[in-house]
Amino acid sequence: MKAHFSATEQGATITFLLRRASVFDSDEKIQSYIKQGKARLVVGDALVLEDVRKGWQAALEAGNGSIDFVIFTIGGYPNFHITKGLVLEPADICTRSLLNLFRTVPAALRAPEAQPRFIVVTSRGITHDSHKTLPLAMKAFYSFMLGSPHADKLGAERVLTHCMGRKWTDEEPRAELLPRDWTSLPDAPAEGEFKRIVIIRPSLLSDGACKADEAKPGKPGYKAVAGEIEGGYTVSRKDTAHFIVTGAVQNWDQWEGKGVCLVY
């Protein structure tokens, strides 16, 4: 959420698609942005196609027919299962929501020159090659505790690879997370249709401080690497937001088309 606040402070108008707008009722900062017209709240569920279309339409109206950036950070609240670790309900919340996002891109934004730039947060360690770079202590934790959420994010990565026109080299996501015929669904994105994408793959997320805000000049506070990086355990949500605004948004040409690992 800090990423949206920072962007708003820099003059952007943000449209939020939220299941419950009440989450902001006691947030004085976002309430001030709403009163100033810098933030708009659209109540809807990203799992419902018509709700996502409603979000697109509201953002188009706010942007006078254009949208600069779409930031996708959807995640679920997992429950702990004694034999399965953390389990999401529904199990495909990220995959299906992301696919709905691309299926509902308005016709006015489909042409390459009119497309917004997409920033999508998934996770580090979900593909075979990425998992190999994790510290030994994290591999078992990721495999057991985060198996369900990461299987869902693998589906999201599969959708992104298709949209970007890249070759998929990992195992296919489970069919209950991403149907085998998903590319034949109505309004499914064509292969290579959306290339203006940055994928952010943070390490295990923490609720710690934004180290980048406290870092000395020339020392960013965290590592941001296109591709894979060996080792490392965590990164905070605030530093992830910091990279979204100061990295992906402000230095788009440097990161476009890349998957970026974030880690301390």
Side-chain angles (χ1 to χ4, degrees):
M1 199 60 67
K2 186 173 182 288
H4 299 94
F5 289 156
S6 298
T8 302
E9 289 164 359
Q10 294 177 24
T13 298
I14 307 296
T15 299
F16 293 92
L17 179 63
L18 303 162
R19 278 177 284 187
R20 295 181 303 277
S22 59
V23 297
F24 287 141
D25 284 353
S26 60
D27 193 311
E28 294 181 2
K29 199 167 192 176
I30 197 67
Q31 289 300 324
S32 70
Y33 293 146
I34 293 171
K35 291 177 182 178
Q36 297 170 48
K38 293 182 178 180
R40 301 188 178 195
L41 309 186
V42 179
V43 177
D45 188 336
L47 294 171
V48 180
L49 278 171
E50 288 307 315
D51 285 0
V52 184
R53 287 195 178 95
K54 183 171 62 174
W56 275 113
Q57 186 58 41
L60 271 176
E61 291 172 0
N64 295 316
S66 66
I67 297 173
D68 294 320
F69 290 93
V70 176
I71 301 176
F72 180 94
T73 61
I74 287 178
Y77 292 97
N79 296 309
F80 178 73
H81 190 282
I82 191 65
T83 62
K84 298 179 181 178
L86 297 176
V87 178
L88 287 172
E89 181 57 45
D92 63 345
I93 184 170
C94 291
T95 301
R96 185 155 39 118
S97 296
L98 185 64
L99 185 55
N100 283 349
L101 178 70
F102 285 111
R103 289 177 65 190
T104 55
V105 174
L109 300 178
R110 289 268 178 175
E113 65 276 8
Q115 291 175 9
R117 287 160 282 187
F118 294 88
I119 299 172
V120 181
V121 179
T122 61
S123 180
R124 184 182 172 213
I126 59 178
T127 65
H128 180 71
D129 287 343
S130 181
H131 190 80
K132 290 191 296 185
T133 69
L134 297 173
L136 183 61
M138 298 294 286
K139 289 181 178 179
F141 176 79
Y142 270 47
S143 296
F144 174 66
M145 288 297 293
L146 300 179
S148 173
H150 279 188
D152 181 25
K153 291 186 183 297
L154 183 71
E157 289 268 357
R158 180 68 181 93
V159 171
L160 291 167
T161 300
H162 172 86
C163 289
M164 297 167 74
R166 305 284 177 79
K167 182 180 179 181
W168 180 252
T169 59
D170 220 277
E171 63 187 77
E172 288 292 333
R174 300 199 309 267
E176 63 267 28
L177 301 177
L178 188 64
R180 293 290 177 251
D181 63 347
W182 69 273
T183 58
S184 300
L185 293 172
D187 299 317
E191 186 172 8
E193 183 176 2
F194 298 99
K195 293 185 170 68
R196 305 179 77 188
I197 294 173
V198 171
I199 306 171
I200 298 177
R201 299 170 179 144
S203 295
L204 188 65
L205 287 167
S206 74
D207 289 323
C210 181
K211 293 186 178 182
D213 285 345
E214 305 166 357
K216 297 179 180 178
K219 296 183 178 180
Y222 56 85
K223 298 175 184 176
V225 178
E228 304 297 346
I229 183 172
E230 293 286 339
Y233 290 85
T234 65
V235 71
S236 73
R237 291 176 173 83
K238 290 181 179 179
D239 275 317
T240 301
H242 181 274
F243 177 78
I244 290 174
V245 175
T246 66
V249 171
Q250 295 183 8
N251 298 284
W252 181 262
D253 290 343
Q254 177 182 352
W255 302 107
E256 181 177 356
K258 296 180 173 67
V260 186
C261 286
L262 303 180
V263 66
Y264 292 136

